[in-house]
Amino acid sequence: MNRLNHQHGVGLIEVLVALLLLSIAVLGFSALQVRAISATDESLVRTKSLTIVRNLAEIMRAYPEAYVTGSGTAFTSAAASTLNAVPTIQAVISGSAIETVTVSGKTISILATGVNCLSTEVETVDGKKMPKQPCSMDQLAARDALMVKKIAADEDIKLGITTCPGTSANAIQQQMCIITAWNDTSPIMSDSDATACTTSNGVYKTGSHCLMSEAY
């Protein structure tokens, strides 16, 4: 009888120990689930970023002679040799506008209203009828850049175009770097800015959420 009295509560202790071990296992499993979800989200954003980079690179190749001067939402057409002229696509991506910009006095828009640079008329050239081009090359480049920028903004992805490390000339025909960034990372290369994607030499910063790709 005394032996039974000494064993009172042993079963309860065993249950508590089992619950403790189960709790530790569940916590570990939960942590793995959180990490897995985070990795999946990061992979999804990177896939979207790659698509945006490819689209933007193709647009850059399509308009190798589109240059403008100015900043913000208003730009003026300029030749590549003009002082302070920059590639139109780089200027639009770096500017504040997402849906509308003004190039050479014409407001270019990706909205249903405004000039969207789509041909709706025909003209006769050398006796042949062809679509009338309502926009210049700079204006077309601005429109296409706005479309990619809007897609990126809808996905909470920030865009940036800059000269790649080791490249001095700011010409779209030469090597340029496209940077996509998300979360708290900025699409820039900087040694002093803690939120920058990479250093000025193009080395990824620890903890940055971004992707840098070269375009030619």
Side-chain angles (χ1 to χ4, degrees):
M1 195 70 178
N2 291 334
R3 183 182 303 174
L4 293 176
N5 291 333
H6 288 307
Q7 293 182 355
H8 285 170
V10 173
L12 180 59
I13 294 175
E14 291 177 349
V15 172
L16 292 175
V17 171
L19 287 175
L20 176 62
L21 295 177
L22 180 61
S23 299
I24 295 174
V26 170
L27 287 174
F29 179 75
S30 299
L32 288 176
Q33 286 290 94
V34 172
R35 292 290 298 273
I37 293 173
S38 177
T40 301
D41 291 341
E42 184 78 6
S43 176
L44 180 60
V45 174
R46 285 184 176 274
T47 301
K48 293 177 179 178
S49 296
L50 281 172
T51 302
I52 291 171
V53 167
R54 284 196 293 266
N55 290 342
L56 194 55
E58 289 300 322
I59 293 174
M60 291 168 65
R61 295 187 186 99
Y63 304 101
E65 298 178 354
Y67 286 84
V68 294
T69 60
S71 61
T73 59
F75 304 93
T76 302
S77 299
S81 58
T82 303
L83 184 64
N84 297 326
V86 298
T88 306
I89 297 170
Q90 182 183 12
V92 173
I93 293 297
S94 302
S96 58
I98 295 180
E99 297 177 338
T100 303
V101 294
T102 300
V103 181
S104 298
K106 181 179 288 187
T107 300
I108 309 300
S109 174
I110 59 174
L111 303 175
T113 58
V115 179
N116 56 17
C117 295
L118 299 178
S119 297
T120 57
E121 302 177 13
V122 295
E123 60 182 347
T124 302
V125 179
D126 296 332
K128 297 180 180 180
K129 290 185 177 181
M130 58 183 59
K132 184 178 181 180
Q133 296 298 329
C135 296
S136 65
M137 181 177 292
D138 293 287
Q139 293 163 347
L140 285 168
R143 173 188 175 272
D144 288 354
L146 280 176
M147 292 183 67
V148 175
K149 190 174 183 180
K150 183 62 167 59
I151 293 173
D154 290 342
E155 298 292 344
D156 291 328
I157 296 175
K158 292 162 283 188
L159 278 174
I161 300 178
T162 184
T163 53
C164 291
T167 304
S168 58
N170 192 33
I172 207 167
Q173 293 99 328
Q174 297 188 17
Q175 183 179 354
M176 301 290 285
C177 280
I178 302 173
I179 303 175
T180 55
W182 52 95
N183 293 344
D184 297 328
T185 304
S186 301
I188 58 175
M189 295 189 298
S190 173
D191 293 326
S192 57
D193 193 334
T195 66
C197 174
T198 70
T199 65
S200 58
N201 294 325
V203 179
Y204 284 100
K205 291 191 173 183
T206 303
S208 61
H209 299 271
C210 59
L211 180 68
M212 183 177 69
S213 179
E214 297 176 356
Y216 299 89

